[in-house]
Amino acid sequence: MAHVPKSESPAAAAVKASPARPSGVLDDPELVRRAQAEDKEAFEELVRRHRGRVYALALRICRNADDAEDALQETFIAAYRALPRFDRRARVSTWLYRIATNKCYDLLARRRATTDSASLPEPADPRDPFALSERQGLLTRALDGLPEQFREAALLCDVCGLTPAEAGEVTGVAEGTMKSRSFRARALLAEALRAGGAEPVTESGV
């Protein structure tokens, strides 16, 4: 099994690493193959390539930047340790989203076990791109107000851009169920935005 350096996590190492290589030089399966052979730079390139989307997902689930950063690092540490078992026929992004989703919910469960619900952080954060305008602020509140299963569907399908089949693989539900949840989530978001005076969500997503 690959050994995780004790000095810093793979995610932290990637942040400090040199600028990313030109896109298209190596695809994800090749980077994974090299990382499985203990090529540290290949793993750092995977982190650079996917950390933005993973962080966006973590931020939307955790609703707090510090927790999202923790989940981000835990995700890539777990991914590094799991590299020997990764099937290169699978999509790296789907695999990482599945790990990230689990890490986020684990982190939230730990927070709830040690924190009074009245003091849990609010989901407003200046680094959240969805809070940069009034309409996007309405969208943030609408997302936060969705029942968990529909919010999860909106995050995976519309924020992360997964297909219903891929989102279903992440969450362990059937493709048809995920498609139905995504459709319902968009309808609920459209209603919430209309009630807030904003234009409805389009078919292109959140």
Side-chain angles (χ1 to χ4, degrees):
M1 180 178 294
H3 174 67
V4 179
K6 293 182 179 179
S7 58
E8 59 184 356
S9 70
V15 171
K16 298 177 182 178
S18 58
R21 303 165 188 164
S23 60
V25 173
L26 295 174
D27 60 15
D28 281 355
E30 177 60 19
L31 286 172
V32 169
R33 186 190 69 77
R34 295 188 180 200
Q36 287 175 328
E38 300 188 3
D39 181 338
K40 183 179 178 182
E41 289 186 0
F43 183 75
E44 288 176 347
E45 178 62 21
L46 284 170
V47 173
R48 280 191 290 262
R49 188 172 292 181
H50 293 282
R51 74 182 309 277
R53 286 281 189 174
V54 171
Y55 176 78
L57 174 62
L59 184 61
R60 299 308 306 158
I61 294 176
C62 296
R63 313 185 194 189
N64 174 274
D66 291 336
D67 287 347
E69 287 286 357
D70 289 345
L72 177 72
Q73 293 208 23
E74 289 185 16
T75 294
F76 284 109
I77 290 172
Y80 190 88
R81 290 172 173 163
L83 272 174
R85 302 186 300 278
F86 178 70
D87 183 350
R88 293 199 295 270
R89 294 172 298 180
R91 285 187 61 181
V92 172
S93 58
T94 302
W95 176 61
L96 289 173
Y97 292 148
R98 181 167 63 249
I99 296 173
T101 300
N102 290 336
K103 292 299 179 183
C104 287
Y105 286 126
D106 288 346
L107 187 149
L108 289 175
R110 295 197 300 269
R111 289 286 188 269
R112 292 191 185 102
T114 59
T115 306
D116 178 37
S117 60
S119 63
L120 289 176
E122 292 297 324
D125 183 85
R127 286 177 287 178
D128 184 348
F130 293 94
L132 296 179
S133 72
E134 182 177 355
R135 181 186 182 281
Q136 289 167 334
L138 287 172
L139 180 54
T140 294
R141 291 190 290 276
L143 273 169
D144 290 339
L146 289 179
E148 186 61 39
Q149 61 182 0
F150 298 129
R151 189 166 72 92
E152 184 176 62
L155 291 174
L156 292 172
C157 294
D158 294 311
V159 175
C160 294
L162 300 185
T163 65
E166 292 165 342
E169 183 180 344
V170 169
T171 59
V173 304
E175 176 182 359
T177 300
M178 182 57 65
K179 187 179 297 185
S180 175
R181 289 179 182 178
S182 178
F183 180 83
R184 181 58 178 159
R186 289 180 181 180
L188 290 172
L189 286 172
E191 292 174 7
L193 290 174
R194 289 192 189 96
E199 291 297 321
V201 177
T202 66
E203 291 185 359
S204 59
V206 175

